[in-house]
Amino acid sequence: MISPTRRAHHGCVEPIEYAVSLVVSRVQPLVREPRIWRSGMGAKTALLAFADGDIRPALLGATRSQRDETEMLVRRIHPGYRVEPVEDGTLWDYVYPPDDITYATKLAGAEVFCDRRLVLDRPSELPEHLRAVGAGRRIIMHGMHSVSDWCCFAVWEDGELIRSLSLSPNGGIAENIGEPYEFELPYWAGEYPVVPVSGWPDRGPYPLPFHPLELGDEALCALFGFAVEGHPDEIDPEGVHLHGFRVTDPSGEEQAAREAAYAAVLQRMGKPRRFRRGSDGVMHEVDSDDL
């Protein structure tokens, strides 16, 4: 069993959830301790990996895999889908690729896939064919999205789900299975609460005992050896080469369902609300004409 012990340094969610959370985030900014952002993408990940054990040594010793061999793995992950080559990249560049894009590599004792479709709001619902790919091995899922402040991570050992956590401030705890890892304990103990920004009217306490992205980054460090924010990395994600593929449902059903979901969200969102801090120190809602 994996036993990450790294402590904190600081004291597939659906598109609908992302968009709705975007509206909420406009009216409830939060104070977090300063972090070093190294990319314009924000805290977003979509990772699924299969490994013979701890994946960090495989990433540390990563070499460029063969494209044809990697493509075979991608076809196994997405059976029946159309697979076309796109430009290569690195784990840092494409830890959260665009829709219909998969980045992957085959390493000594591990395979890594970056694909939005492979992270789930409830990780325990991992499709059976993906469990079969990881039979007898360790499977690791990690997902974050900074718009909805959502994160998930999960670990299977030899087919058994050992730990799964998925949560966001708006959706609450979607899944919490297994015993927390040691790196989680300070968060659940309330050592890293989120403090609301002063001046916002009618704002209650943050709905979770910690910020999901803070724990998500900690989990990424413990499970994969690197992070998207300010933690010092054991693994250099820019040194892990990935092959890129456009992977699409030939029937078009997957793409159509996704576009329909986006359209439904936009229809329900309404106009964004805008606020300005007044001379009294309180945030007041303003009309677009007042800007």
Side-chain angles (χ1 to χ4, degrees):
M1 178 183 293
I2 189 169
S3 300
T5 58
R6 190 178 177 285
R7 290 179 59 94
H9 283 261
H10 55 78
C12 144
V13 176
E14 295 298 321
I16 290 176
E17 294 180 74
Y18 293 159
V20 171
S21 298
L22 177 60
V23 176
V24 174
S25 68
R26 290 171 177 165
V27 301
Q28 188 173 341
L30 300 167
V31 170
R32 306 179 200 169
E33 294 192 23
R35 305 298 293 266
I36 304 171
W37 289 86
R38 300 181 299 179
S39 169
M41 71 176 182
K44 300 176 186 177
T45 65
L47 278 164
L48 187 69
F50 305 89
D52 295 339
D54 186 352
I55 196 172
R56 292 172 294 183
L59 290 171
L60 190 61
T63 58
R64 184 185 295 251
S65 63
Q66 296 296 316
R67 174 171 275 276
D68 56 351
E69 187 177 27
T70 307
E71 181 176 331
M72 290 177 61
L73 293 171
V74 171
R75 292 184 181 278
R76 189 178 181 193
I77 293 295
H78 290 292
Y81 276 42
R82 183 182 295 114
V83 179
E84 304 166 298
V86 298
E87 66 177 357
D88 289 356
T90 71
L91 184 57
W92 177 247
D93 296 323
Y94 292 107
V95 71
Y96 185 81
D99 286 329
D100 295 328
I101 300 295
T102 303
Y103 275 88
T105 186
K106 178 176 174 57
L107 307 173
E111 298 87 51
V112 179
F113 300 87
C114 301
D115 187 320
R116 299 188 193 188
R117 293 163 289 194
L118 300 180
V119 294
L120 308 173
D121 193 38
R122 296 182 182 274
S124 64
E125 298 176 357
L126 186 70
E128 195 59 41
H129 80 279
L130 294 178
R131 297 190 189 201
V133 171
R137 308 177 75 195
R138 175 176 297 166
I139 304 175
I140 313 167
M141 179 189 297
H142 188 281
M144 290 196 301
H145 201 288
S146 54
V147 172
S148 57
D149 286 346
W150 166 81
C151 87
C152 82
F153 57 88
V155 177
W156 292 258
E157 297 280 3
D158 196 15
E160 179 184 357
L161 181 59
I162 301 299
R163 178 67 174 134
S164 174
L165 181 66
S166 175
L167 74 170
S168 67
N170 296 322
I173 299 176
E175 189 160 276
N176 186 3
I177 298 172
E179 292 297 320
Y181 288 126
E182 185 175 344
F183 68 81
E184 300 179 53
L185 298 181
Y187 293 86
W188 293 110
E191 294 184 22
Y192 308 120
V194 177
V195 181
V197 173
S198 62
W200 288 84
D202 304 321
R203 295 290 171 227
Y206 194 72
L208 296 169
F210 51 83
H211 199 286
L213 298 184
E214 299 289 342
L215 177 58
D217 213 40
E218 194 73 31
L220 189 60
C221 272
L223 300 173
F224 285 90
F226 73 97
V228 296
E229 293 191 37
H231 294 299
D233 293 333
E234 175 185 354
I235 309 299
D236 177 12
E238 292 184 292
V240 180
H241 175 269
L242 302 177
H243 293 293
F245 304 89
R246 184 176 303 278
V247 183
T248 54
D249 178 0
S251 72
E253 293 181 3
E254 180 182 274
Q255 298 91 320
R258 183 174 62 235
E259 293 304 316
Y262 289 158
V265 168
L266 292 174
Q267 186 175 14
R268 292 197 300 268
M269 281 177 63
K271 295 181 179 180
R273 299 171 64 191
R274 298 175 172 85
F275 291 78
R276 175 183 293 162
R277 188 179 297 276
S279 58
D280 57 359
V282 176
M283 301 298 291
H284 300 276
E285 189 165 3
V286 298
D287 294 330
S288 298
D289 295 339
D290 297 330
L291 296 177

